[in-house]
């Protein structure tokens, strides 16, 4: 196993852009990418019966979430190349952001630095790079749409929703586990850093995350290269949409500070619900489909809490990484939010269990967590 600091780039795009995204990844000779299915949601105005009155509904567009790794020196070029190729600078197309992670892999991944740095198209279209915060909220299946609609109505961001299966407390309850739903909804929000506290407070209140068994939310800092601002879809009556006007003003002002939502302090979270920030990390485990569960159980035996397993598909654009080319493309990922002191014991335990062996074709990723909120009793 090798441990390397890399930039993880996450790209969320409409599923109709998949061919364009994959062509760009192939041009950059990215060794591996992992694709997760989901949807982007927005608001749409619908007419009432016989055209009388109107109401607002959620509109869904099938999307795909790609994640891949590049050296830090190639992050900006790779992210902007992808954003330019798929025209993610246009509202409604998608979002792309990056963060620094430690990748634990069976062997050292190799990259074609010349291809990574030479494929960028028109850098003049790139927007100013701002610090953003990504929030991941996990709730019971069917509970996410109400939260997504609230966030959209506030104009905070465009939520991305995907699905997974819960593990953790449910697996420890025996027959009582039937009282806790297996299916989970995972909501991702990307907002300017200054709006993170506001969104977090709204999510905790709306989804009742400070109550037993309702869910979990955590945040991490990212570098956003393109952010989907299209909170409303449907017909437009002007030459430019409001999202395009906002985007243009961001470029003129040099940042999005002018459109901040609040200058007040965020709503206070009840004592005992907010987990200590400096002590947290996200340890993600990736392995072949059907095998992640056994590694998660090992982590839980050491002290990890609840977890959600999400299916993914592997995409390979280079055959330089020997030992992976013949592996199955069906993958699963599980993000474990754990205290820093548990990271090394868990890594050693899953390694001894065979995570990095040729049978599992596994890997692990370690990243920072800025804050996490759930019911802690």
């Amino acid at each position: 196993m090798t441990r390397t600091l890399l930039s993880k780039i996450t790209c969320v795009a409409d599923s109709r852009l998949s061919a364009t995204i994959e062509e760009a990844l192939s041009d950059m000779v990215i060794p591996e990418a992992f694709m997760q299915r989901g949807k982007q949601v927005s608001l749409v105005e619908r007419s009432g019966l016989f055209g009388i009155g109107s109401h607002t509904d959620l509109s869904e567009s099938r999307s795909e979430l790609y994640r891949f790794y590049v050296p830090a020196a190639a992050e900006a070029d790779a992210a902007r190349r992808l954003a330019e190729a798929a025209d993610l600078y246009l509202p409604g197309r998608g979002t792309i952001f990056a963060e620094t992670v430690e990748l634990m892999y069976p062997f050292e991944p190799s990259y074609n630095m010349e291809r990574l740095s030479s494929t960028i198209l028109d850098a003049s279209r790139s927007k100013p790079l701002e610090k953003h915060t990504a929030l991941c909220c996990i709730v019971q299946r069917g509970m996410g749409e109400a939260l997504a609609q609230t966030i959209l109505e506030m104009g905070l961001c465009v939520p991305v929703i995907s699905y997974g299966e819960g593990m953790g407390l449910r697996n420890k309850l025996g027959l009582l586990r039937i009282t806790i739903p297996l299916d989970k909804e995972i909501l991702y929000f990307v907002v300017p850093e200054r709006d993170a506290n506001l969104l977090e407070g709204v999510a905790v209140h709306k989804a009742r995350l400070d109550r037993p068994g309702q869910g979990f939310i955590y945040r991490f800092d990212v570098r956003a290269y393109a952010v989907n601002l299209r909170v409303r879809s449907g017909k437009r009556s002007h030459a430019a949409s409001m999202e395009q006007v906002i985007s243009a003003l961001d470029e003129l002002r040099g940042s999005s500070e002018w459109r901040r939502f609040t200058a007040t302090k965020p709503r206070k979270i009840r004592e005992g619900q907010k987990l200590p920030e400096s002590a947290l990390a996200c340890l993600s485990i990736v392995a072949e489909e059907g095998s992640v569960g056994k590694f998660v159980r090992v982590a839980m035996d050491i002290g990890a809490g609840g977890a959600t397993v999400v299916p993914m598909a592997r995409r390979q654009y280079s055959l330089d990484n020997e030992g992976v080319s013949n592996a199955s493309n069906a993958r699963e990922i599980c993000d474990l939010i754990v205290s820093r002191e548990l990271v090394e014991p868990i890594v050693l335990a899953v390694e001894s269990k065979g995570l990095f062996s040729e049978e599992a074709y596994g890997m692990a990723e370690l990243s920072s967590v800025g804050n996490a909120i759930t019911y802690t009793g």
Side-chain angles (χ1 to χ4, degrees):
M1 176 190 69
T2 65
R3 303 177 72 148
T4 312
L5 282 178
L6 294 170
S7 289
K8 181 176 82 170
I9 297 177
T10 301
C11 175
V12 182
D14 189 286
S15 59
R16 291 170 293 185
L17 300 172
S18 296
T20 303
I21 297 290
E22 300 220 13
E23 182 181 357
L25 293 172
S26 180
D27 286 344
M28 292 185 286
V29 199
I30 299 298
E32 277 186 317
F34 300 93
M35 188 271 287
Q36 174 183 334
R37 299 193 184 279
K39 60 185 180 182
Q40 296 180 95
V41 293
S42 59
L43 298 174
V44 59
E45 292 288 335
R46 301 194 189 279
S47 299
L49 187 63
F50 304 117
I52 301 174
S54 63
H55 62 280
T56 302
D57 280 341
L58 281 182
S59 174
E60 302 175 356
S61 62
R62 287 191 305 167
S63 300
E64 291 174 349
L65 189 153
Y66 288 84
R67 62 183 82 194
F68 61 96
Y69 306 88
V70 297
E75 175 191 301
D77 282 350
R80 287 177 174 139
R81 166 69 174 91
L82 210 55
E84 173 67 20
D87 238 341
L88 299 183
Y89 301 124
L90 287 176
R93 306 278 283 188
T95 296
I96 186 166
F97 59 87
E99 59 181 306
T100 301
V101 303
E102 182 181 3
L103 186 67
M104 301 169 217
Y105 208 64
F107 48 85
E108 189 78 32
S110 60
Y111 296 92
N112 187 324
M113 294 299 292
E114 183 178 352
R115 293 290 293 274
L116 280 172
S117 60
S118 65
T119 51
I120 187 167
L121 301 180
D122 184 5
S124 65
R125 295 187 59 187
S126 302
K127 295 185 179 181
L129 183 62
E130 286 189 74
K131 286 186 178 180
H132 278 62
T133 297
L135 296 99
C136 178
C137 181
I138 301 170
V139 296
Q140 295 175 11
R141 187 75 176 259
M143 302 296 292
E145 288 193 354
L147 173 58
Q149 183 157 353
T150 298
I151 298 301
L152 286 165
E153 288 173 348
M154 294 180 67
L156 279 167
C157 67
V158 175
V160 177
I161 303 176
S162 66
Y163 303 98
E165 292 186 354
M167 293 184 65
L169 176 62
R170 189 178 188 277
N171 295 70
K172 300 176 182 178
L173 293 179
L175 289 176
L176 288 177
R177 67 178 180 270
I178 62 174
T179 63
I180 299 180
L182 175 66
D183 295 333
K184 303 293 183 182
E185 283 184 336
I186 307 163
L187 292 88
Y188 299 94
F189 310 100
V190 179
V191 294
E193 192 176 39
R194 64 182 174 275
D195 293 328
N197 287 338
L198 174 62
L199 192 150
E200 184 182 79
V202 171
V204 170
H205 175 70
K206 186 69 178 180
R208 301 180 178 182
L209 300 179
D210 52 359
R211 299 186 183 184
Q214 294 303 303
F216 186 79
I217 188 170
Y218 66 93
R219 67 162 80 175
F220 50 99
D221 294 331
V222 299
R223 299 174 288 276
Y225 291 87
V227 179
N228 183 6
L229 297 175
R230 194 177 184 184
V231 297
R232 292 183 180 272
S233 57
K235 294 181 180 179
R236 69 186 193 192
S237 55
H238 302 283
S241 67
M242 180 55 68
E243 290 80 13
Q244 287 174 313
V245 173
I246 292 171
S247 181
L249 284 172
D250 282 353
E251 291 187 34
L252 288 173
R253 297 261 184 160
S255 76
S256 60
E257 174 66 22
W258 66 274
R259 54 183 171 92
R260 61 184 176 177
F261 281 84
T262 181
T264 60
K265 292 183 178 179
R267 183 179 67 89
K268 273 193 158 184
I269 305 300
R270 291 186 297 184
E271 289 297 325
Q273 314 311 321
K274 190 172 180 179
L275 304 180
E277 298 180 15
S278 60
L280 294 176
C282 178
L283 181 63
S284 301
I285 297 175
V286 179
E288 279 201 295
E289 185 178 41
S291 64
V292 163
K294 67 179 180 182
F295 300 115
V296 173
R297 285 189 285 273
V298 168
M300 288 168 55
D301 289 342
I302 294 175
T308 303
V309 178
V310 179
M312 299 193 304
R314 181 181 68 116
R315 301 285 187 264
Q316 192 172 11
Y317 306 99
S318 168
L319 296 179
D320 292 339
N321 290 337
E322 297 179 3
V324 181
S325 57
N326 295 324
S328 165
N329 286 324
R331 291 286 192 274
E332 289 176 337
I333 185 171
C334 182
D335 295 335
L336 300 169
I337 308 302
V338 298
S339 63
R340 287 275 179 181
E341 63 185 15
L342 291 180
V343 170
E344 292 307 320
I346 291 175
V347 170
L348 290 174
V350 295
E351 183 178 20
S352 65
K353 194 71 174 178
L355 176 63
F356 305 106
S357 66
E358 291 186 1
E359 290 75 23
Y361 294 108
M363 54 181 275
E365 171 202 307
L366 180 65
S367 59
S368 298
V369 172
N371 186 31
I373 296 172
T374 189
Y375 178 80
T376 55

